[in-house]
Amino acid sequence: MEIFYQYLETISENFFDPKKRVFLGYLFSAFLISFMWLTFVKKEKIKQAVYKIFDKKIFMSKSAKADYILFLLNIIILMFLSPLLISQLAIAHFVFEYLHSQTFLTPLGIDINYMWMIPIFFTFCYFVLDDFTKYVTHALMHKVPLLWEIHKTHHSARTLTPLTIFRTHPIEGVIFVVRSALTQGIVIATFYYVYGGNITFVTILGANLFSFWFHLFGSNLRHSHIRINYWSWLEKIFISPAQHQIHHSIKKEHHNKNFGVAFAFWDYMFGSLYISKSDEDVKFGISETEHKYENNIIYLYLSPLIGIYKLIANYVSSKNLKVKKQKFIFNKQTR
Amino acid sequence: MNNIKFKGTTLTKLSFVGAVTFSFMCSSITSVNAGHHGNVYGPYPITEKSYKGTKKNSVSYGGQMARQLLHNSLKKLASTGSPSDPTLAPEKKMLAYLNTKDKSKSLPIMDPKNSSKFPVKQKMIGELSGGANLSGKADKRIQTSWPGNMSGVDVIKFMIKKAGKTKGGVDTRNGMNYPQLISKYTMGAVLYHQACDNYLDEKMTASSKPNNKPYKKGAYYTGKEHSWDEAFGYWGAAAHTMKLSAAQSYDVAKKKDLKAADYNKDGVVDLQTEMTYAHAYYASSYDKKGKTNYLKTVTGAFIDGRKLITAADGNKLSEAELNKIQDYVQIICSNWEDVIAESVFKYAGSVYKDLSKIEKALASGSGMDKAMSKYLKHWGELKGFAMALQAGPDNKSDTFNRMNRMMGFGPLMPNLSQVVGIDSSGNYIKDQGSSIGYYKLHMLKIQNLMADKYALKAKINDATGGMAALLEEVGTKKSAEND
C-alpha cells in the first residue's frame, strides 16, 4: 500500500512541484505564451487560437497516448531502479574529499561585503553547468549508435505535447538520473569546497531561480505544436521552442541539430546550431514512413533492446577495426 | 500539497480517528512519564536489613560529586601555568586536586564559586566527601591515544606537569591546550570509565555487590543500591533533572539559572544534588537544540533502575530483575557513549572550520593569532573527548585506531609540524605532518567515522551537512524524462 501511495505521490509531484517541468503553473504559463503568440503575433482569432492550442488531434493522437502510458509505467520502473543507482550524496562526498587532497583548487577567502553575491553566482553556475551536461549527454545520445537506439524512443513521437518528455526508454531514464547525480554531486561539492560551505541556492517556490524562469517562459512549448521562434540573434543564446521542434524533425538537414536545452550557445560553440525559419515545414518522427508498431508500448520498450542486440552482434562479427570504430563507437550519421 | 487530491476523501474520516488516537497516545505517554521519570533521583528508603541506624535515605553519591568538583577545579587551575615559577606552584596545586582526599576540608572548590547570582551551599571539596580523589579512580589501562605508553592516570599527570610550566596552560609551539585536554580526558578516564566500565559493568552482575548485603560492612545501603548511585553521580545530572528542560539544565551548569537549580528553595545551590556537571552538561547542550533527548533518557533510566533496586527491598535481585537492570545499563551507557561521540563529531567540525580560517590567515597574512587560539582550544576538546571515548567498556579498537591515526598526537601546526611522540625526558618529538588540506580531510573522515559507528543525531558542526541539504534541495529525478 505504501508503494502505491509513493507511486501516486510521484505522479502528482510532477504537476504540483515547481521543481518539475510539467508543474501546473508552468503549463499554464505555456498556455498564456502560446495564446499571446497566436493572437498578437500570428493575428489569429481568440477561439481559433484556443482550439489550436488544445488541438484534440495532437493531445489525443496515438503518439500522445503512448507518451501518457510511458509516463505512468516508467515511474514504476524507476521506483525500483533508482535505489540501485549511485546517489548524488555519495558522489558529492567523494568529490569533496578528493578536493582536500589536491592543491590546484583552494578555498577562497571571501570579502564579507561580497558574500551576498555568492548564492546568485552559485545558482547561475549550477544552472549553466547542468545545462551543459544535458547538452553533452543529449549529443552523445544521438552520436553514439548504442545510445541512439535508446534515444529513438523519444524521437519516435509523431506529435509533441508537454508530456512527450516522458516518452523515454527507462534505460535512458537511468542515464539521465546518473547524469543529474554526477552534475549535482560534482558542482555542489566543488562550490561547497571553494566557498567554505557558504553557499545556498536562490530559489522561487523551492525551484532554482533560473530553472524557474526557464520553465515559466515556456520550456513546455519545446514539446508542442506551437512553433514560436525568436530573433536569430536570440536563438544563438537561448533555444527557442521552434529550434527544439526542428531537432525532432524528420528532415535530414535537421538531424543532429539543436541539442541544447536552455542555452543555444553550446550548439553554437560545437557547430550543431540551427536557426529556425518561420516558413519552414517541420514533421516530427524518425522517418517519413510510419512504423506499424511505433506507438505500441511493448514495441517501444523492446525495440531499443533488439536494436542494441543487433549492433553488438554486428560488432562482434565485424573484423575490420576501423569499421568497428566508425560504425559502432561514434557515428556521425546516426541521426 | 501533492498528497491532498488523492488522499482527500479518506483524510476526513481518518483525521477524526487519528486525532482521537493521537490524543489518547499523548495522554498515555504523559502518564507513563509521570509514573517513570516525572520525579527526582532520591530520596529512597533504607532497605539494607542489617542497618540499625537512624538514616531514612539510602541514596549516597557524595564521593562522585566531590570528584565532579575536583574535575571542575582542575580545569580552572590548568590555565594558571607559569614557565617562570621555580616553585612549580601551579603544578603542585593541580596535583593536589588530582590526588588529595580532602578529609580536613581544606581544598576550596574552584568552580562553581559562591556568588550573589549563584550562591552555593558547599565551599570545600571535603564538605561533599573527604574520601574521594581523582587519581585513584582513573583508567589504569595503557592509552594508545597518547604518546608514551602511559596509563590513564599517568597521562593526566603528564598533562598537568606540562600545563604547570606553560603560560596560561596553552603550548602554542606544540599546539597543546592543556585545560581542555585535562578536562575532557578526565571526564572520560575517571567519570565515564568508573560508571560504565566499573559500577554499571562488573558491579551489576549477580555475584558482585549483591543487593542482600551492605555495600561495605555497616553501610546503610545495599551493594547494588550504592553501585547504582555511584554511577548516577558520575553522570553529573542534578537529582531533579527530569523536572527541568534541557535548556534549564544547561543554564544551571553555566550558573545562569538559580531558580531552576534551587529545587528545595533554600536559596542556595546544593552542589550534591542541584548542580549539572560534565557529561550531563554536554548532553543538555545537544538536547537543547531539539534533535536529541540524551539527558532525560539517561537520567530517566537511572531513576527507573534505582526504583527497581529499591523495590527489591534489600533482597537479592532475581535473574529477571538483573536482566531488566542490564536493559537500563544498556540505555545509560550507549547514550552516554553517544554523547561523547557527538562531542568528537562536533569538535572535528570546529577544527575543520578553524583550519579553513588558518588557511585564509596564511593567505592574507592577518588574523592568525585569533584563528590559532580557537584552533588549539577546539583541537584540545576534540582530542580530549576522543581519548574519553576510549575509556568506556566497549573497546572499539579498530574505530579508535583509525580515529587516533587521523587525529594524531598533536594538532597539525601552520608550519605543518606535528607531535609524533615523546622522548625519554618527556619532551615532545615532532615531525613534518601532511598538508592542511589532508588534515581537514582527516577531520571529515573522523566525522564520518563517528556517524557510522554511533547513533548520532545532533551532529553539530557537520562539515558536509550543508552539502547534503543542498542536494536535498535540488532533489532527485523520479521520472524517466527527456530534456
Side-chain angles (χ1 to χ4, degrees):
Chain A
M1 202 60 186
E2 198 181 320
I3 288 178
F4 179 66
Y5 276 125
Q6 201 183 328
Y7 175 64
L8 292 182
E9 197 178 329
T10 309
I11 292 172
S12 61
E13 211 171 54
N14 277 290
F15 300 103
F16 291 102
D17 183 354
K19 285 179 196 161
K20 306 290 178 187
R21 180 171 318 172
V22 292
F23 167 59
L24 290 177
Y26 302 143
L27 290 174
F28 184 68
S29 73
F31 160 73
L32 285 181
I33 291 165
S34 47
F35 179 76
M36 285 192 285
W37 172 265
L38 292 174
T39 51
F40 291 112
V41 181
K42 295 293 174 187
K43 308 290 181 198
E44 292 188 14
K45 288 179 180 166
I46 292 174
K47 196 176 171 185
Q48 196 184 346
V50 172
Y51 270 115
K52 190 167 185 178
I53 292 166
F54 296 108
D55 191 340
K56 200 179 166 186
K57 283 192 294 224
I58 305 288
F59 285 97
M60 295 312 287
S61 67
K62 281 183 188 173
S63 173
K65 283 176 183 170
D67 299 350
Y68 308 148
I69 295 168
L70 281 177
F71 166 58
L72 296 172
L73 291 178
N74 281 346
I75 288 175
I76 300 172
I77 298 169
L78 263 276
M79 272 171 69
F80 289 99
L81 285 179
S82 292
L84 306 174
L85 304 174
I86 188 162
S87 75
Q88 67 266 61
L89 188 59
I91 296 164
H93 271 284
F94 176 80
V95 173
F96 192 61
E97 288 187 4
Y98 166 74
L99 289 169
H100 286 81
S101 59
Q102 53 80 51
T103 50
F104 178 71
L105 199 63
T106 52
L108 289 175
I110 306 296
D111 188 323
I112 196 87
N113 296 315
Y114 298 105
M115 290 289 264
W116 63 271
M117 289 172 69
I118 298 172
I120 299 168
F121 180 63
F122 167 60
T123 308
F124 178 71
C125 287
Y126 177 81
F127 181 72
V128 173
L129 292 167
D130 189 48
D131 195 68
F132 176 66
T133 60
K134 283 176 181 172
Y135 171 86
V136 172
T137 312
H138 192 185
L140 289 172
M141 296 307 296
H142 281 260
K143 305 263 182 170
V144 178
L146 279 176
L147 297 177
W148 169 241
E149 287 301 323
I150 302 163
H151 192 50
K152 265 184 190 172
T153 304
H154 180 61
H155 277 271
S156 66
R158 292 286 173 182
T159 56
L160 299 184
T161 77
L163 294 193
T164 304
I165 58 165
F166 300 114
R167 189 186 182 100
T168 301
H169 195 274
I171 298 176
E172 190 174 11
V174 167
I175 291 169
F176 287 150
V177 169
V178 173
R179 178 213 65 79
S180 176
L182 279 168
T183 309
Q184 288 176 7
I186 294 168
V187 174
I188 289 175
T190 307
F191 271 80
Y192 198 80
Y193 174 75
V194 170
Y195 291 103
N198 298 311
I199 54 167
T200 48
F201 278 115
V202 181
T203 59
I204 298 179
L205 299 175
N208 179 305
L209 172 74
F210 298 101
S211 297
F212 179 84
W213 289 115
F214 169 60
H215 294 320
L216 196 72
F217 283 113
S219 70
N220 282 301
L221 294 171
R222 290 159 57 85
H223 294 108
S224 79
H225 54 291
I226 310 298
R227 188 129 56 90
I228 298 176
N229 54 341
Y230 305 154
W231 296 286
S232 52
W233 64 267
L234 192 59
E235 286 195 347
K236 287 177 186 163
I237 302 168
F238 297 109
I239 292 278
S240 70
Q243 279 176 293
H244 191 70
Q245 289 155 14
I246 283 166
H247 174 75
H248 275 268
S249 165
I250 55 172
K251 277 187 188 170
K252 200 164 185 181
E253 63 263 36
H254 293 160
H255 289 183
N256 289 338
K257 298 293 180 192
N258 299 345
F259 296 124
V261 178
F263 295 115
F265 47 70
W266 310 122
D267 284 296
Y268 187 63
M269 282 161 63
F270 296 105
S272 52
L273 186 70
Y274 189 98
I275 303 292
S276 69
K277 295 164 191 159
S278 54
D279 56 344
E280 207 167 16
D281 190 32
V282 176
K283 200 174 171 188
F284 307 134
I286 296 172
S287 59
E288 187 73 45
T289 48
E290 289 194 17
H291 190 283
K292 192 178 172 185
Y293 299 113
E294 68 181 21
N295 291 311
N296 179 294
I297 299 301
I298 297 168
Y299 177 81
L300 285 170
Y301 276 128
L302 293 182
S303 66
L305 303 177
I306 295 164
I308 289 169
Y309 171 76
K310 282 181 183 169
L311 271 176
I312 293 171
N314 281 337
Y315 179 80
V316 173
S317 61
S318 175
K319 286 174 183 164
N320 187 327
L321 275 176
K322 200 175 172 187
V323 174
K324 273 188 179 189
K325 196 178 167 191
Q326 281 178 352
K327 279 181 75 175
F328 308 112
I329 308 296
F330 199 81
N331 187 356
K332 284 183 180 175
Q333 303 305 316
T334 306
R335 173 69 164 76
Chain B
M1 184 176 179
N2 40 13
N3 290 339
I4 291 169
K5 273 206 160 183
F6 55 83
K7 288 181 182 172
T9 49
T10 46
L11 257 183
T12 46
K13 291 174 192 169
L14 279 176
S15 56
F16 176 70
V17 179
V20 171
T21 314
F22 182 69
S23 314
F24 182 74
M25 281 168 64
C26 286
S27 60
S28 308
I29 289 165
T30 312
S31 61
V32 165
N33 275 340
H36 280 255
H37 307 312
N39 46 21
V40 179
Y41 194 92
Y44 297 113
I46 305 288
T47 65
E48 173 47 47
K49 293 182 170 50
S50 65
Y51 179 67
K52 305 295 177 207
T54 56
K55 285 192 181 288
K56 301 286 180 206
N57 180 11
S58 63
V59 176
S60 170
Y61 53 92
Q64 285 58 49
M65 291 297 109
R67 288 190 185 96
Q68 295 281 7
L69 291 160
L70 285 167
H71 158 252
N72 277 11
S73 303
L74 194 52
K75 188 185 175 192
K76 282 278 169 197
L77 290 169
S79 58
T80 61
S82 169
S84 55
D85 187 345
T87 65
L88 303 178
E91 180 188 333
K92 285 176 185 167
K93 205 167 182 183
M94 280 186 266
L95 286 173
Y97 279 85
L98 180 73
N99 299 320
T100 308
K101 294 178 179 176
D102 190 26
K103 277 179 197 162
S104 57
K105 297 181 184 171
S106 59
L107 218 50
I109 295 167
M110 309 297 288
D111 178 42
K113 279 191 170 178
N114 191 42
S115 72
S116 56
K117 281 187 180 175
F118 202 79
V120 294
K121 190 176 174 183
Q122 297 88 350
K123 315 292 182 295
M124 298 291 167
I125 300 287
E127 290 175 53
L128 289 128
S129 171
N133 68 4
L134 288 171
S135 57
K137 295 288 183 179
D139 193 353
K140 294 185 175 51
R141 294 172 295 188
I142 297 295
Q143 303 301 303
T144 53
S145 54
W146 192 255
N149 286 323
M150 293 181 241
S151 68
V153 67
D154 287 339
V155 169
I156 300 172
K157 282 177 184 168
F158 175 87
M159 288 176 176
I160 286 174
K161 198 172 179 183
K162 290 281 185 191
K165 291 176 190 161
T166 310
K167 191 185 173 190
V170 181
D171 175 358
T172 52
R173 205 173 78 83
N174 296 303
M176 302 296 181
N177 182 315
Y178 291 110
Q180 295 303 336
L181 284 164
I182 291 169
S183 166
K184 271 58 184 187
Y185 179 52
T186 305
M187 279 171 64
V190 178
L191 312 179
Y192 172 56
H193 173 69
Q194 278 300 315
C196 286
D197 202 16
N198 181 16
Y199 291 104
L200 298 180
D201 194 10
E202 293 96 345
K203 290 188 175 131
M204 284 301 135
T205 56
S207 56
S208 177
K209 298 292 177 189
N211 200 48
N212 57 345
K213 286 182 182 166
Y215 185 82
K216 58 188 176 191
K217 200 177 175 185
Y220 56 93
Y221 36 70
T222 71
K224 284 286 180 279
E225 282 172 348
H226 190 57
S227 299
W228 196 261
D229 289 349
E230 299 236 42
F232 177 70
Y234 284 122
W235 170 236
H240 63 295
T241 291
M242 302 305 284
K243 294 189 178 294
L244 303 176
S245 68
Q248 283 176 313
S249 285
Y250 179 87
D251 285 343
V252 168
K254 290 281 187 187
K255 294 158 275 184
K256 286 180 182 169
D257 195 342
L258 174 64
K259 201 178 162 192
D262 186 16
Y263 180 62
N264 63 4
K265 307 291 174 204
D266 63 354
V268 289
V269 179
D270 186 343
L271 298 180
Q272 165 71 32
T273 56
E274 294 179 335
M275 189 63 187
T276 308
Y277 299 97
H279 293 283
Y281 157 69
Y282 274 93
S284 73
S285 75
Y286 300 127
D287 293 351
K288 76 189 181 86
K289 308 255 181 199
K291 286 184 183 172
T292 58
N293 193 27
Y294 293 124
L295 181 60
K296 290 200 176 179
T297 304
V298 173
T299 309
F302 267 119
I303 291 172
D304 289 345
R306 186 58 163 85
K307 281 182 175 176
L308 190 150
I309 295 168
T310 307
D313 199 24
N315 296 310
K316 202 172 180 181
L317 296 183
S318 68
E319 198 179 329
E321 286 168 330
L322 282 168
N323 287 340
K324 191 68 191 159
I325 284 290
Q326 283 308 316
D327 291 345
Y328 292 130
V329 168
Q330 171 62 23
I331 292 168
I332 292 164
C333 289
S334 64
N335 278 278
W336 194 332
E337 190 180 38
D338 288 346
V339 171
I340 301 174
E342 291 273 17
S343 299
V344 175
F345 186 97
K346 175 186 168 182
Y347 290 112
S350 300
V351 166
Y352 181 91
K353 281 185 195 167
D354 296 336
L355 285 164
S356 298
K357 285 175 188 162
I358 285 170
E359 280 177 320
K360 280 179 198 169
L362 282 170
S364 66
S366 66
M368 183 57 94
D369 287 349
K370 194 178 167 191
M372 275 305 287
S373 171
K374 280 194 170 179
Y375 172 51
L376 299 189
K377 178 181 179 288
H378 291 146
W379 191 90
E381 289 174 296
L382 169 68
K383 183 69 181 174
F385 276 120
M387 293 171 75
L389 192 62
Q390 300 171 55
D394 184 10
N395 199 319
K396 297 180 172 75
S397 58
D398 182 46
T399 302
F400 298 153
N401 287 342
R402 285 168 64 193
M403 180 171 68
N404 293 335
R405 207 165 48 241
M406 288 189 281
M407 206 174 290
F409 289 137
L412 183 78
M413 302 300 279
N415 63 2
L416 304 185
S417 68
Q418 193 172 18
V419 169
V420 292
I422 299 170
D423 66 18
S424 55
S425 309
N427 300 311
Y428 290 120
I429 302 166
K430 290 176 84 177
D431 199 359
Q432 204 67 4
S434 54
S435 68
I436 290 180
Y438 263 116
Y439 200 59
K440 281 170 78 178
L441 177 59
H442 287 173
M443 295 304 120
L444 289 181
K445 289 187 171 176
I446 288 168
Q447 285 203 324
N448 290 342
L449 189 66
M450 291 298 105
D452 283 350
K453 303 291 176 188
Y454 301 92
L456 305 190
K457 293 182 199 82
K459 290 189 177 179
I460 311 288
N461 289 337
D462 187 350
T464 56
M467 199 166 68
L470 284 169
L471 290 164
E472 185 79 28
E473 203 174 332
V474 288
T476 47
K477 279 193 175 180
K478 292 173 187 166
S479 310
E481 61 183 78
N482 257 275
D483 294 306

